[in-house]
Amino acid sequence: MPPKAKFTKQQVIQAAVDLVREKGIDAVTARELGSKLGSSARPVFTVFKNMEEVISEVSRAARNCYNAYIAEGLKEKIAFKGVGRAYIRFAANEPNLFRMLFMGKHNAAISEILPVIDENYSKILQSITSGYGVGNEIAVKLYRHLWIYSHGIAVMLATHACELSSEQIDEMLTEVFIALLKSHNCGGLYDLCR
């Protein structure tokens, strides 16, 4: 008869996510996790086969947390701008989860990175095509450029390189988006940015 689990999978996952939030993904070891649960490492392995399975579940939980931010951003009046702000807010509020999800190696070309790292890709792209009435090709370019810019801001906040207010972030995102619209001859869309 297998040993009775002292902790549920969800309790172990939550403890692991808490460890990531406090110390980063490298802190999620069997020993640290056992300590976080007030136990030895052994109970972790009564509900998980190995630490790779734990890390996979932690990644799924972090992704769910991120997806909740993006869902809120998509509900904003200007959905695409809401997504950028949500991405940056996630980085500021959950810096270690952000690092784990978006600051690792992904082995993708810049033209392919967004669908690889973000399962919300098609919803976000749709927010551009429907929100601004542009075709898919222009939407992809706008998304890629704005993501690169938003990612830079997010990394600065996640690493505490600088501080920016919500107002400053809004102004910066708007300025860059308007410049991109101009560069793609989408001049009549400026009013949809504010």
Side-chain angles (χ1 to χ4, degrees), residues 2 9 12-13 30 57-58 78 91 109 132 147 161 163 172 177 181:
K9 272 191 168 193
V12 174
I13 293 165
E57 289 298 323
V58 169
I78 304 173
Y132 299 98
W147 174 76
E163 292 182 17
M172 292 165 71
F177 192 65
L181 288 174

Side-chain angles (χ1 to χ4, degrees), residues 32-77:
E32 284 281 335
L33 196 47
S35 178
K36 181 79 174 164
L37 291 164
S39 173
S40 69
R42 187 177 193 141
V44 171
F45 299 111
T46 60
V47 290
F48 288 99
K49 292 177 193 166
N50 52 44
M51 285 306 293
E52 289 78 24
E53 192 177 270
V54 174
I55 298 298
S56 176
E57 289 298 323
V58 169
S59 181
R60 180 177 292 133
R63 182 82 46 204
N64 289 341
C65 179
Y66 166 72
N67 289 343
Y69 275 78
I70 295 305
E72 287 302 310
L74 285 167
K75 290 178 188 174
E76 291 188 23
K77 182 180 176 188

